[in-house]
Coordinates of all heavy atoms in Angstrom, one line a residue:
M204 N 102.3 180.8 -2.8 CA 101.1 180.2 -3.3 C 99.9 180.4 -2.2 O 98.8 180.7 -2.7 CB 101.4 178.7 -3.5 CG 100.2 178.1 -4.2 SD 100.1 178.7 -6.0 CE 98.6 177.9 -6.5
W205 N 100.2 180.2 -0.9 CA 99.2 180.3 0.1 C 98.7 181.7 0.3 O 97.7 182.0 0.6 CB 99.7 179.9 1.4 CG 100.9 180.5 2.0 CD1 102.2 180.3 1.7 CD2 100.9 181.7 2.8 NE1 103.0 181.1 2.4 CE2 102.1 182.0 3.1 CE3 99.8 182.4 3.4 CZ2 102.5 183.2 3.8 CZ3 100.2 183.6 4.2 CH2 101.5 184.0 4.2
F206 N 99.6 182.7 -0.2 CA 99.2 184.1 -0.1 C 98.0 184.4 -0.9 O 97.1 185.3 -0.5 CB 100.5 184.8 -0.5 CG 100.3 186.4 -0.4 CD1 100.2 186.8 1.0 CD2 100.1 187.2 -1.3 CE1 100.1 188.1 1.2 CE2 99.9 188.6 -1.0 CZ 99.9 188.9 0.2
K207 N 97.9 183.7 -2.1 CA 96.8 183.8 -3.0 C 95.5 183.3 -2.3 O 94.4 184.1 -2.3 CB 97.0 183.1 -4.3 CG 97.8 183.8 -5.5 CD 97.7 183.0 -6.7 CE 98.5 183.7 -7.9 NZ 98.6 182.9 -8.9
L208 N 95.6 182.2 -1.7 CA 94.4 181.7 -1.0 C 93.9 182.8 0.0 O 92.7 182.8 0.3 CB 94.9 180.3 -0.4 CG 95.0 179.2 -1.3 CD1 95.5 178.0 -0.6 CD2 93.6 178.9 -2.0
L209 N 94.8 183.3 0.7 CA 94.6 184.3 1.7 C 93.8 185.4 1.2 O 92.7 185.9 1.8 CB 95.9 184.6 2.4 CG 95.7 185.6 3.7 CD1 95.1 184.8 4.7 CD2 97.0 186.2 4.1
I210 N 94.3 185.9 0.1 CA 93.6 187.0 -0.6 C 92.1 186.7 -1.1 O 91.2 187.3 -0.8 CB 94.4 187.5 -1.9 CG1 95.5 188.2 -1.3 CG2 93.5 188.5 -2.7 CD1 96.6 188.6 -2.3
F211 N 92.0 185.4 -1.5 CA 90.8 184.8 -2.0 C 89.8 184.8 -0.7 O 88.6 185.1 -0.8 CB 90.8 183.5 -2.6 CG 91.1 183.6 -4.0 CD1 92.2 183.0 -4.7 CD2 90.2 184.2 -4.9 CE1 92.4 183.1 -5.9 CE2 90.4 184.3 -6.3 CZ 91.6 183.8 -6.8
A212 N 90.3 184.3 0.5 CA 89.5 184.2 1.7 C 89.0 185.5 2.0 O 87.7 185.7 2.4 CB 90.3 183.5 2.7
I213 N 89.9 186.6 2.2 CA 89.5 187.8 2.5 C 88.5 188.4 1.6 O 87.4 189.0 2.0 CB 90.7 188.8 2.5 CG1 91.7 188.4 3.8 CG2 90.3 190.3 2.8 CD1 93.0 188.8 3.7
A214 N 88.7 188.3 0.2 CA 87.7 188.7 -0.7 C 86.4 188.1 -0.5 O 85.2 188.6 -0.7 CB 88.3 188.5 -2.2
G215 N 86.4 186.7 -0.3 CA 85.1 186.0 -0.1 C 84.4 186.5 1.1 O 83.2 186.8 0.9
V216 N 85.0 186.8 2.1 CA 84.4 187.3 3.4 C 83.8 188.7 3.1 O 82.7 189.0 3.5 CB 85.4 187.3 4.7 CG1 84.7 188.1 5.8 CG2 85.7 185.9 5.1
A217 N 84.6 189.6 2.5 CA 84.1 190.9 2.0 C 82.9 190.8 1.2 O 82.0 191.5 1.5 CB 85.3 191.6 1.3
L218 N 82.9 189.9 0.2 CA 81.7 189.8 -0.7 C 80.5 189.4 0.2 O 79.4 189.9 0.0 CB 82.0 188.6 -1.8 CG 82.7 189.3 -3.1 CD1 82.8 188.1 -4.0 CD2 81.7 190.3 -3.8
Y219 N 80.6 188.4 1.0 CA 79.6 187.8 1.8 C 79.0 189.0 2.7 O 77.7 189.2 2.7 CB 80.1 186.7 2.7 CG 78.8 186.1 3.2 CD1 78.3 184.9 2.7 CD2 78.4 186.4 4.5 CE1 77.2 184.4 3.2 CE2 77.2 185.9 5.1 CZ 76.7 184.7 4.4 OH 75.6 184.2 5.0
R220 N 79.9 189.8 3.3 CA 79.4 190.7 4.1 C 78.7 191.9 3.3 O 77.7 192.4 3.7 CB 80.5 191.4 5.0 CG 81.1 190.4 5.8 CD 82.0 191.0 6.9 NE 81.3 191.6 8.0 CZ 81.9 192.3 8.9 NH1 83.3 192.4 9.2 NH2 81.2 192.6 10.0
F221 N 79.2 192.0 2.1 CA 78.6 193.1 1.3 C 77.0 192.6 0.8 O 76.2 193.5 0.8 CB 79.5 193.2 -0.1 CG 78.9 194.2 -1.1 CD1 79.0 195.5 -0.8 CD2 78.2 193.6 -2.2 CE1 78.5 196.3 -1.8 CE2 77.7 194.6 -3.1 CZ 77.8 196.1 -2.9
F222 N 77.0 191.4 0.5 CA 75.5 190.9 0.1 C 74.7 190.6 1.3 O 73.5 190.8 1.3 CB 75.7 189.7 -0.7 CG 76.3 189.9 -2.2 CD1 77.4 189.5 -2.5 CD2 75.4 190.7 -2.9 CE1 77.8 189.8 -3.9 CE2 75.9 191.0 -4.2 CZ 77.1 190.6 -4.6
G223 N 75.3 189.9 2.2 CA 74.3 189.4 3.4 C 74.4 190.5 4.5 O 73.3 190.8 5.2
G224 N 75.6 190.9 5.0 CA 75.7 191.7 6.0 C 75.5 191.1 7.5 O 75.4 191.7 8.5
K225 N 75.4 189.7 7.5 CA 75.2 189.1 8.7 C 76.5 188.2 8.9 O 77.1 187.8 8.2 CB 73.9 188.2 8.6 CG 72.7 189.0 8.7 CD 71.6 188.1 8.4 CE 70.4 189.1 8.4 NZ 69.1 188.2 8.1
V226 N 76.5 187.6 10.2 CA 77.6 186.7 10.5 C 77.2 185.5 10.0 O 76.1 184.9 10.3 CB 77.6 186.7 12.0 CG1 78.8 185.8 12.5 CG2 77.9 188.1 12.6
P227 N 78.0 184.9 9.2 CA 77.6 183.5 8.4 C 77.4 182.4 9.5 O 76.4 181.7 9.2 CB 78.8 183.2 7.6 CG 79.8 184.1 8.0 CD 79.2 185.3 8.7
F228 N 78.1 182.3 10.6 CA 78.0 181.2 11.4 C 76.7 181.1 12.1 O 76.0 180.1 12.2 CB 79.1 181.2 12.5 CG 80.5 181.3 11.8 CD1 81.2 182.5 11.9 CD2 81.1 180.3 11.3 CE1 82.4 182.6 11.4 CE2 82.3 180.2 10.7 CZ 83.0 181.5 10.8
L229 N 76.1 182.3 12.5 CA 74.9 182.2 13.1 C 73.7 181.9 12.2 O 72.8 181.3 12.6 CB 74.6 183.7 13.7 CG 75.5 184.2 14.9 CD1 75.2 185.6 15.3 CD2 75.2 183.3 16.0
D230 N 73.8 182.5 10.8 CA 72.8 182.0 10.1 C 72.6 180.7 9.8 O 71.5 180.0 9.8 CB 73.1 182.7 8.7 CG 72.8 184.3 8.7 OD1 72.0 184.6 9.6 OD2 73.1 185.0 7.9
T231 N 73.7 179.9 9.5 CA 73.7 178.4 9.2 C 73.1 177.8 10.5 O 72.4 176.8 10.3 CB 75.1 177.9 8.7 OG1 76.1 178.5 9.7 CG2 75.4 178.4 7.5
E232 N 73.6 178.2 11.7 CA 73.2 177.5 12.8 C 71.6 177.5 12.9 O 70.9 176.5 13.3 CB 73.8 177.9 14.1 CG 75.1 177.4 14.4 CD 75.9 178.1 15.6 OE1 75.1 178.6 16.4 OE2 77.0 177.9 15.5
E233 N 71.1 178.7 12.7 CA 69.6 178.9 12.8 C 68.8 178.0 11.8 O 68.0 177.3 12.2 CB 69.3 180.3 12.5 CG 68.7 181.1 13.7 CD 68.3 182.4 13.4 OE1 67.6 182.8 12.4 OE2 69.1 183.4 14.0
K234 N 69.3 177.9 10.5 CA 68.7 177.1 9.6 C 68.8 175.6 10.0 O 67.7 174.9 9.9 CB 69.5 177.2 8.3 CG 68.9 178.4 7.6 CD 69.6 178.6 6.2 CE 69.5 180.0 5.6 NZ 70.4 180.4 4.4
E235 N 69.9 175.2 10.5 CA 70.0 173.7 10.9 C 69.1 173.5 12.0 O 68.5 172.3 12.0 CB 71.5 173.4 11.4 CG 72.4 173.1 10.1 CD 73.7 173.2 10.6 OE1 74.1 173.0 11.7 OE2 74.7 173.2 9.7
L236 N 68.9 174.3 12.9 CA 68.0 174.1 14.1 C 66.6 174.0 13.5 O 65.8 173.1 14.0 CB 68.0 175.3 15.1 CG 69.3 175.3 16.0 CD1 69.2 176.5 17.0 CD2 69.0 173.8 17.0
K237 N 66.2 174.8 12.6 CA 64.7 174.8 12.1 C 64.5 173.4 11.4 O 63.4 172.9 11.5 CB 64.6 175.9 11.0 CG 64.1 177.2 11.9 CD 64.1 178.4 10.9 CE 63.9 179.7 11.7 NZ 64.0 180.8 10.9
E238 N 65.5 173.0 10.5 CA 65.4 171.8 10.0 C 65.1 170.5 10.9 O 64.3 169.7 10.7 CB 66.6 171.4 9.1 CG 66.5 172.1 7.8 CD 67.8 172.1 6.9 OE1 68.7 171.3 7.4 OE2 67.8 172.8 6.0
E239 N 65.8 170.6 12.1 CA 65.6 169.6 13.1 C 64.2 169.5 13.8 O 63.7 168.5 13.9 CB 66.6 169.9 14.2 CG 68.0 169.1 13.9 CD 69.0 169.3 15.2 OE1 68.5 169.4 16.2 OE2 70.1 169.5 14.9
H240 N 63.7 170.8 13.9 CA 62.3 170.9 14.4 C 61.4 170.3 13.4 O 60.4 169.7 13.8 CB 62.0 172.4 14.6 CG 62.7 172.8 15.9 ND1 62.9 172.2 17.0 CD2 63.4 174.1 16.1 CE1 63.5 173.0 17.8 NE2 63.8 174.1 17.4
D241 N 61.6 170.4 12.0 CA 60.6 169.9 11.1 C 60.6 168.3 11.2 O 59.7 167.8 11.1 CB 61.0 170.4 9.7 CG 60.7 171.8 9.5 OD1 59.9 172.4 10.4 OD2 61.3 172.5 8.5
D242 N 61.8 167.8 11.5 CA 62.0 166.4 11.4 C 61.2 165.8 12.7 O 60.6 164.8 12.7 CB 63.4 165.9 11.6 CG 64.2 166.1 10.2 OD1 63.5 166.2 9.3 OD2 65.4 166.2 10.3
F243 N 61.2 166.5 13.8 CA 60.7 165.9 14.9 C 59.2 166.5 15.2 O 58.6 166.2 16.3 CB 61.5 166.2 16.2 CG 62.8 165.5 16.3 CD1 64.0 166.2 15.9 CD2 62.8 164.3 16.6 CE1 65.1 165.5 15.8 CE2 64.0 163.5 16.7 CZ 65.1 164.2 16.2
G244 N 58.7 167.2 14.3 CA 57.4 167.9 14.5 C 57.4 169.0 15.7 O 58.5 169.6 15.7
K245 N 56.3 169.2 16.1 CA 56.2 170.4 17.0 C 56.5 169.9 18.5 O 55.4 169.8 19.3 CB 54.8 171.1 16.9 CG 54.8 171.9 15.6 CD 53.4 172.7 15.5 CE 53.4 173.5 14.2 NZ 52.1 174.2 14.1
I246 N 57.6 169.6 18.9 CA 58.0 169.3 20.1 C 58.1 170.7 20.9 O 57.6 170.8 22.1 CB 59.2 168.4 20.2 CG1 59.0 167.0 19.7 CG2 59.8 168.4 21.7 CD1 60.2 166.2 19.5
E247 N 58.9 171.5 20.3 CA 58.9 172.7 21.1 C 57.7 173.7 21.1 O 57.0 173.7 20.1 CB 60.1 173.7 20.4 CG 60.4 174.8 21.2 CD 61.7 175.5 20.4 OE1 62.4 174.9 19.8 OE2 62.0 176.7 20.8
A248 N 57.3 174.2 22.1 CA 56.1 174.9 22.2 C 56.1 176.1 21.5 O 57.1 176.9 21.6 CB 55.8 175.1 23.7
T249 N 55.1 176.4 20.7 CA 55.1 177.6 19.9 C 53.7 178.3 20.2 O 52.7 177.6 20.5 CB 55.1 177.4 18.4 OG1 54.1 176.5 18.1 CG2 56.5 176.9 18.0
S250 N 53.7 179.6 20.2 CA 52.6 180.3 20.3 C 52.5 181.3 19.2 O 53.5 181.7 18.7 CB 52.5 181.0 21.7 OG 53.6 180.8 22.4
S251 N 51.3 181.8 18.9 CA 51.2 182.9 17.8 C 51.1 184.2 18.4 O 50.4 184.4 19.5 CB 49.9 182.5 17.0 OG 48.7 182.5 17.7
C252 N 51.7 185.3 17.7 CA 51.5 186.6 18.1 C 50.0 187.1 18.0 O 49.3 186.7 17.1 CB 52.2 187.5 17.1 SG 52.2 189.1 17.3
V253 N 49.6 187.7 19.1 CA 48.1 188.2 19.1 C 47.8 189.2 18.2 O 46.7 189.5 17.8 CB 47.8 188.5 20.6 CG1 47.9 187.5 21.6 CG2 48.6 189.8 21.1
V254 N 48.8 189.9 17.6 CA 48.6 191.0 16.7 C 48.6 190.6 15.4 O 47.7 190.7 14.5 CB 49.7 192.1 17.0 CG1 49.4 193.2 15.9 CG2 49.5 192.6 18.3
C255 N 49.8 189.9 14.8 CA 49.9 189.6 13.4 C 49.9 188.0 13.1 O 49.8 187.7 12.0 CB 51.3 190.1 13.0 SG 52.6 189.3 13.6
G256 N 49.7 187.2 14.2 CA 49.5 185.8 14.0 C 50.8 185.0 13.7 O 50.7 183.9 13.5
T257 N 51.9 185.6 13.7 CA 53.2 184.9 13.4 C 53.5 183.9 14.5 O 53.3 184.3 15.7 CB 54.3 186.0 13.3 OG1 54.0 186.9 12.3 CG2 55.6 185.2 13.0
Y258 N 53.9 182.8 14.2 CA 54.2 181.8 15.2 C 55.6 182.0 15.7 O 56.6 182.2 14.9 CB 54.1 180.3 14.5 CG 52.6 179.8 14.6 CD1 51.8 180.1 13.4 CD2 52.1 179.2 15.6 CE1 50.4 179.7 13.5 CE2 50.7 179.0 15.8 CZ 50.0 179.1 14.6 OH 48.7 178.7 14.7
V259 N 55.7 182.0 16.9 CA 57.1 182.1 17.5 C 57.4 181.1 18.7 O 56.4 180.7 19.2 CB 57.3 183.5 18.2 CG1 57.3 184.6 17.2 CG2 56.2 183.9 19.0
T260 N 58.5 180.7 18.7 CA 58.9 179.8 19.8 C 58.8 180.5 21.1 O 59.0 181.7 21.1 CB 60.2 179.1 19.6 OG1 61.2 180.2 19.6 CG2 60.4 178.4 18.2
E261 N 58.6 179.7 22.1 CA 58.5 180.4 23.5 C 59.8 181.1 23.8 O 59.7 182.1 24.6 CB 58.1 179.3 24.5 CG 56.9 178.6 24.3 CD 56.0 178.5 25.6 OE1 56.7 178.3 26.7 OE2 54.7 178.6 25.4
E262 N 60.8 180.6 23.3 CA 62.1 181.2 23.5 C 62.2 182.6 23.0 O 62.7 183.5 23.5 CB 63.3 180.3 22.9 CG 64.6 180.5 23.6 CD 65.6 179.6 22.9 OE1 65.3 178.4 22.8 OE2 66.6 180.0 22.5
D263 N 61.6 182.7 21.9 CA 61.7 184.0 21.0 C 60.5 185.0 21.4 O 60.6 186.2 21.1 CB 61.7 183.8 19.4 CG 62.9 183.1 19.1 OD1 64.0 183.2 19.9 OD2 62.9 182.3 18.1
A264 N 59.5 184.4 21.9 CA 58.4 185.2 22.1 C 58.5 186.3 23.2 O 59.2 186.1 24.1 CB 57.2 184.4 22.4
L265 N 57.8 187.5 23.0 CA 57.6 188.3 24.0 C 56.4 188.3 24.7 O 55.3 188.2 24.1 CB 57.8 189.8 23.4 CG 59.0 190.1 22.7 CD1 58.8 191.4 22.0 CD2 60.2 190.2 23.6
I266 N 56.4 187.9 26.0 CA 55.2 187.7 26.7 C 54.9 188.9 27.6 O 55.7 189.3 28.6 CB 55.1 186.4 27.5 CG1 55.2 185.4 26.5 CG2 53.9 186.3 28.3 CD1 55.6 184.1 27.1
Y267 N 53.7 189.6 27.4 CA 53.3 190.7 28.3 C 52.0 190.7 28.6 O 51.1 190.4 27.8 CB 53.6 192.0 27.2 CG 53.2 193.3 28.0 CD1 53.9 193.8 29.0 CD2 52.0 194.0 27.6 CE1 53.6 195.0 29.6 CE2 51.7 195.3 28.2 CZ 52.4 195.7 29.1 OH 52.2 196.9 29.8
K268 N 51.6 190.6 29.9 CA 50.3 190.4 30.4 C 49.7 189.2 29.9 O 48.6 189.2 29.5 CB 49.5 191.7 30.2 CG 49.7 193.0 31.0 CD 48.9 194.1 30.6 CE 49.3 195.3 31.4 NZ 48.5 196.5 31.1
K269 N 50.5 188.2 30.0 CA 50.1 186.8 29.6 C 49.6 186.7 28.1 O 48.9 185.8 27.7 CB 48.9 186.2 30.4 CG 49.4 185.9 31.8 CD 48.3 185.4 32.6 CE 48.8 185.0 34.0 NZ 47.6 184.6 34.9
R270 N 50.0 187.7 27.2 CA 49.7 187.6 25.8 C 51.1 187.6 25.1 O 52.1 188.2 25.5 CB 48.9 188.9 25.4 CG 47.4 188.8 25.8 CD 46.9 190.2 26.0 NE 46.4 190.7 24.7 CZ 45.4 190.4 24.1 NH1 44.5 189.7 24.4 NH2 45.2 191.0 22.9
T271 N 51.0 186.8 24.0 CA 52.3 186.6 23.3 C 52.5 187.4 22.1 O 51.5 187.6 21.2 CB 52.3 185.1 22.7 OG1 51.9 184.2 23.8 CG2 53.8 184.8 22.1
Y272 N 53.7 188.2 21.9 CA 53.9 189.0 20.8 C 55.2 188.6 20.1 O 56.2 188.0 20.8 CB 54.1 190.4 21.4 CG 52.9 191.0 22.0 CD1 52.8 190.8 23.4 CD2 51.9 191.6 21.4 CE1 51.7 191.2 24.0 CE2 50.9 192.1 22.0 CZ 50.7 191.9 23.3 OH 49.7 192.4 24.1
C273 N 55.3 188.7 18.7 CA 56.4 188.2 18.1 C 57.6 189.3 18.2 O 58.7 188.9 18.0 CB 56.1 188.0 16.6 SG 55.7 189.5 15.8
S274 N 57.2 190.5 18.3 CA 58.3 191.6 18.3 C 57.8 192.7 19.2 O 56.6 192.8 19.4 CB 58.7 192.0 16.8 OG 57.4 192.6 16.4
T275 N 58.8 193.7 19.4 CA 58.3 194.8 20.2 C 57.4 195.7 19.3 O 56.6 196.5 19.9 CB 59.5 195.7 20.6 OG1 60.5 195.7 19.5 CG2 60.4 195.0 21.7
E276 N 57.5 195.6 18.0 CA 56.7 196.4 17.2 C 55.3 196.0 17.4 O 54.3 196.9 17.5 CB 57.1 196.0 15.7 CG 57.6 197.1 14.9 CD 58.0 196.8 13.6 OE1 57.0 196.4 12.8 OE2 59.3 196.6 13.2
C277 N 54.9 194.8 17.5 CA 53.5 194.3 17.7 C 53.1 194.6 19.2 O 52.0 195.0 19.3 CB 53.5 192.9 17.4 SG 53.4 192.4 15.7
L278 N 54.0 194.6 20.0 CA 53.6 195.0 21.3 C 53.3 196.5 21.5 O 52.3 196.7 22.2 CB 55.0 194.6 22.3 CG 54.9 194.9 23.8 CD1 53.8 194.1 24.3 CD2 56.1 194.6 24.4
E279 N 53.9 197.3 20.7 CA 53.7 198.7 20.7 C 52.2 198.9 20.1 O 51.5 199.8 20.5 CB 54.6 199.5 19.9 CG 56.1 199.6 20.6 CD 55.9 200.3 22.0 OE1 55.2 201.3 21.9 OE2 56.5 200.0 22.9
K280 N 52.0 198.1 19.1 CA 50.7 198.2 18.4 C 49.4 198.0 19.5 O 48.4 198.7 19.3 CB 50.6 197.4 17.2 CG 51.3 198.0 16.0 CD 51.1 196.9 14.7 CE 52.1 197.0 13.8 NZ 52.1 196.0 12.7
E281 N 49.6 197.0 20.1 CA 48.7 196.5 21.1 C 48.4 197.6 22.2 O 47.3 197.8 22.6 CB 49.0 195.3 21.7 CG 48.5 194.0 21.0 CD 46.9 193.9 21.1 OE1 46.5 193.4 22.1 OE2 46.2 194.2 20.1
K282 N 49.4 198.2 22.5 CA 49.3 199.3 23.7 C 48.5 200.5 23.2 O 47.6 200.9 23.6 CB 50.7 199.8 24.0 CG 51.5 198.9 24.9 CD 52.8 199.5 25.3 CE 53.5 198.6 26.1 NZ 55.0 199.1 26.2
Ligands
ZN124 ZN1 53.4 190.1 15.6

């Protein structure tokens, strides 16, 4: 009986990877963190990308010559 469950579990993971292609644990953790930030307002410092204006947390931001970028793509555009 448990053998069927095992097959279902493997099929489930395979389907998830087929559609999402990402590690499920990381995705859910990120969503939970964002919800927490909403509850507490803007406690974490955010800055906006000087190129496209996207808001990024200081943790995720790329800072180059005291300017904030959301990604290496935007950093390349500014150069
Ligand atoms: Zn940007």
